[in-house]
Amino acid sequence: MKNDIQNRADIELLVRSFYDKVKTDDTIGYIFNDIARVNWEKHFPVMFDFWENVLFYTGVYNGNPLVIHQHLNRVVPLKLEHFNQWNKLFTQTVDELFEGNNAMLAKQRALSISTIMQIKILGKVEE
Ligand code: HEM
């Protein structure tokens, strides 16, 4: 039996494990490593805040992910397969580490935010 996502320490584990997969992923890794050249030590605390806010309404995140991804899309056109892979890796990471209501909520929220991004960026959501 796995634990549910319960606190910031759990979110830190989730986020770090997720980006471990992202960094070495054939489909989306290059976007983070070579194009955006993400500074991970800066990115992680932002993501901890983001997910704490999404799951527990306690984080201090007040950025605008949609605008950031719209900008990214002008540098590297984002495709359906990028979003699908992002969601696959996120779901996999949650399932490997946690189970319970918050784990389910995290997967659902990731998918709905991703869907909104796809509608705004790709202009449509495909099956
Ligand atoms: C095609 C899929 C995606 C790609 C390639 C992608 C890539 C990126 C990149 C390169 C950054 C900038 C990192 C930095 O330099 O600090 C970023 C930031 C971020 N991404 Fe994504 N992303 C994707 C999907 C998503 C989804 C579905 C979510 C939410 C569920 C998400 C949430 C965020 C957030 C919260 C930030 C931080 C924005 C800020 O700095 O305020 N991303 N993403």
Side-chain angles (χ1 to χ4, degrees):
M1 177 81 188
K2 291 169 194 144
N3 291 327
D4 202 356
I5 305 168
Q6 280 163 336
N7 48 40
R8 177 138 176 142
D10 291 339
I11 288 176
E12 294 192 10
L13 176 64
L14 171 64
V15 168
R16 287 183 189 279
S17 309
F18 171 61
Y19 287 107
D20 275 349
K21 290 195 201 300
V22 165
K23 281 181 211 175
T24 56
D25 184 76
D26 286 346
T27 308
I28 58 173
Y30 76 97
I31 300 176
F32 292 82
N33 299 325
D34 306 331
I35 294 174
R37 292 166 178 265
V38 175
N39 177 335
W40 295 101
E41 285 322 303
K42 276 194 182 164
H43 187 56
F44 280 143
V46 175
M47 299 315 291
F48 302 155
D49 287 339
F50 173 77
W51 281 108
E52 217 187 307
N53 209 18
V54 168
L55 291 179
F56 306 132
Y57 306 107
T58 48
V60 292
Y61 182 79
N62 64 357
N64 189 333
L66 189 56
V67 168
I68 285 169
H69 295 82
Q70 280 170 329
H71 173 76
L72 180 64
N73 181 53
R74 286 194 281 275
V75 183
V76 51
L78 296 175
K79 302 266 189 310
L80 178 66
E81 63 166 341
H82 297 135
F83 285 100
N84 284 346
Q85 190 64 9
W86 190 105
N87 279 100
K88 186 176 153 193
L89 296 179
F90 189 83
T91 299
Q92 260 176 19
T93 313
V94 173
D95 287 341
E96 277 167 18
L97 295 169
F98 301 102
E99 63 187 42
N101 284 342
N102 289 336
M104 199 119 70
L105 194 64
K107 291 184 282 183
Q108 283 171 353
R109 294 263 156 95
L111 194 57
S112 42
I113 297 165
S114 178
T115 304
I116 293 165
M117 281 185 192
Q118 290 174 56
I119 291 168
K120 301 276 186 186
I121 290 171
L122 306 176
K124 60 185 180 225
V125 180
E126 294 168 37
E127 290 293 309

